[in-house]
Amino acid sequence: APIVSFMGESPAVDYNFFAVGQTYDCEKRGGNANDLCAQNLQQSWSVIFELANTEQGRQQLAQAFRLCKVPQDKDDGMRLALWLSNALGFMTMGSYPYATSYMLNGEGILPPYPMRVGCAFLNKQRFTDNMMLLQNVRSAVAVFYNYTGNVSCFDINAEANNATQIVDELWNFLYCSVVFQTFAQNGNKSEPFDMFWYAPWNATQTAQGCFDSYGIETRTLWAEINYGGWAALNS
């Protein structure tokens, strides 16, 4: 359990630990042929955000990612990026040396080292054609979202299957109530670098989002107080 990933730790937790871990899984040191997978993924975010600013660009996003619906505004561009990031997170957490249904909650199977399978679409070249880049990002995350091979189009508001959707809602409530982990992304702005866009940790904003979604006050230090963090490990 991630008992040292909460606010109130001493020494303090590195807020972008998860983004760094995902990046590691997409680089040569994480078992890939080279670092191109992480580099191409990092390049893709700015392309997505730029295209999301115009109607023509959003049409291109729908085409590249084979979306069921055309994104309506730039906010949908961020939803698309978060949807992609969600798959990368599950593929990282499910990075076992054997096939498993764990991350798909028993309703499907991910291959051994699923991130390496996804990265195979992104580690052959540094893409200069934006549409080709995005299409290969789509193929990478399809390891998670299209584990059946039968998905004709993708819904950026949906999980991989119904069971995963339910677990996602339960986890979000648990996170917002007592398991308030710190998640940030440095991108390429500061060390430790990661392959995502810049999104610093903001506890106040995150807690407000929880209140807006569930109407509950987040107990930001509950996990540290109850689990003990580093003190529990050192006792």
Side-chain angles (χ1 to χ4, degrees), residues 103-114:
M103 289 297 144
L104 292 167
N105 298 285
E107 291 194 359
I109 303 290
L110 286 181
Y113 295 118

Side-chain angles (χ1 to χ4, degrees), residues 99 138 140 143 178:
R138 179 198 70 205
V143 172
V178 293

Side-chain angles (χ1 to χ4, degrees), residues 1-15:
I3 63 171
V4 292
S5 61
F6 303 101
M7 294 173 59
E9 298 291 342
S10 180
V13 63
D14 182 353
Y15 290 160

Side-chain angles (χ1 to χ4, degrees), residues 15 37 68 101 108 111 129 138 143 176 213:
Y15 290 160
C37 181
C68 301
S101 64
D129 181 281
R138 179 198 70 205
V143 172
C176 281
S213 296

Side-chain angles (χ1 to χ4, degrees), residues 59-197:
Q59 291 282 352
Q60 291 178 289
L61 288 175
Q63 178 184 353
F65 287 105
R66 208 163 61 201
L67 302 180
C68 301
K69 296 181 180 179
V70 176
Q72 296 301 298
D73 50 36
K74 66 178 182 179
D75 289 340
D76 273 352
M78 177 55 74
R79 292 186 186 94
L80 171 59
L82 291 170
W83 179 79
L84 297 169
S85 176
N86 180 64
L88 300 175
F90 275 111
M91 290 161 68
T92 297
M93 292 186 292
S95 189
Y96 302 108
Y98 47 81
T100 174
S101 64
Y102 180 38
M103 289 297 144
L104 292 167
N105 298 285
E107 291 194 359
I109 303 290
L110 286 181
Y113 295 118
M115 189 67 88
R116 296 183 193 177
V117 177
C119 277
F121 296 99
L122 293 165
N123 64 13
K124 301 296 191 297
Q125 61 177 298
R126 187 69 184 266
F127 292 98
T128 56
D129 181 281
N130 286 341
M131 289 298 285
M132 187 175 294
L133 168 65
L134 299 185
Q135 289 164 1
N136 279 275
V137 172
R138 179 198 70 205
S139 296
V141 301
V143 172
F144 178 71
Y145 285 124
N146 192 18
Y147 62 90
T148 64
N150 298 324
V151 176
S152 58
C153 67
F154 294 104
D155 180 354
I156 63 173
N157 295 307
E159 273 290 355
N161 56 43
N162 289 334
T164 307
Q165 189 83 37
I166 293 170
V167 169
D168 188 52
E169 279 298 317
L170 293 173
W171 163 251
N172 287 344
F173 183 84
L174 185 65
Y175 173 87
C176 281
S177 55
V178 293
V179 189
F180 196 61
Q181 288 179 274
T182 59
F183 293 112
Q185 298 166 182
N186 283 350
N188 58 5
K189 284 187 175 292
S190 61
E191 294 185 353
F193 301 118
D194 59 66
M195 64 185 185
F196 295 95
W197 63 95

